[in-house]
Amino acid sequence: MKEIQEVVKNLTNRYGKNRESLLPILQGITEEQNYLSSEAMLEIARALDISAAEVYGTATFYSFLDTIPRGKYVIRVCRTIVCDMHGKKQIIKTLEDLLKIKVGETTHNGKFTLLETNCLGWCHKGPCILVNDDIYTEITPGKVNAIISEYRNK
Ligand code: FES
């Protein structure tokens, strides 16, 4: 893994050092390192000359920015009302049984993290899940099995 100073430097070269650069830099670090460590947030604050509290506040405001380590594949199950009414609970139960973890946990091999999230914008095709950046709609327990098998083999 690259040193955090190098990662932040590359991102500030790409996005600049303005306050508006903060979000794309946070996203870039999340993509590269899978989460935002305290060290990374402090380095961003130094590079952009803003407070660490501002960086932390932004990082913890968005559910897609993680400040704790996550698995290689982060599965987010929509918990909002439409998906809830269309079987979200059964989807979560299936995922928990398959992965042998509960919501909020990561598998021992570091491959999967299971989370709930708010509406993913595909309500008309719920229930929905997101695996990293890939959306899966009209999910059934059978589809969950197939999706997890696919990612296990990646
Ligand atoms: S309620 Fe689940 S995608 Fe909108």
Side-chain angles (χ1 to χ4, degrees), residues 50-149:
I50 57 177
S51 72
E54 187 172 359
V55 175
Y56 181 78
T58 305
T60 53
F61 179 79
Y62 294 99
S63 65
F64 290 84
L65 296 173
D66 287 313
T67 54
I68 56 175
R70 301 295 190 193
K72 181 176 181 188
Y73 301 113
V74 179
I75 303 166
R76 291 181 162 91
V77 181
C78 175
R79 65 175 163 214
T80 310
I81 188 161
V82 179
C83 288
D84 191 32
M85 290 170 57
H86 285 90
K88 174 213 74 171
K89 286 183 186 76
Q90 187 59 43
I91 300 306
I92 287 184
K93 169 97 173 66
T94 304
L95 283 162
E96 287 179 338
D97 290 347
L98 272 172
L99 300 173
K100 308 206 180 331
I101 55 173
K102 297 289 183 193
V103 171
E105 295 179 346
T106 298
T107 55
H108 290 299
N109 63 4
K111 198 148 190 186
F112 296 99
T113 295
L114 179 59
L115 301 173
E116 288 184 291
T117 190
N118 291 324
C119 181
L120 295 166
W122 287 82
C123 320
H124 61 295
K125 291 197 170 189
C128 305
I129 69 171
L130 198 64
V131 183
N132 291 355
D133 295 327
D134 296 325
I135 185 85
Y136 295 89
T137 60
E138 298 175 327
I139 292 297
T140 62
K143 282 186 178 179
V144 167
N145 267 296
I147 292 165
I148 295 303
S149 295

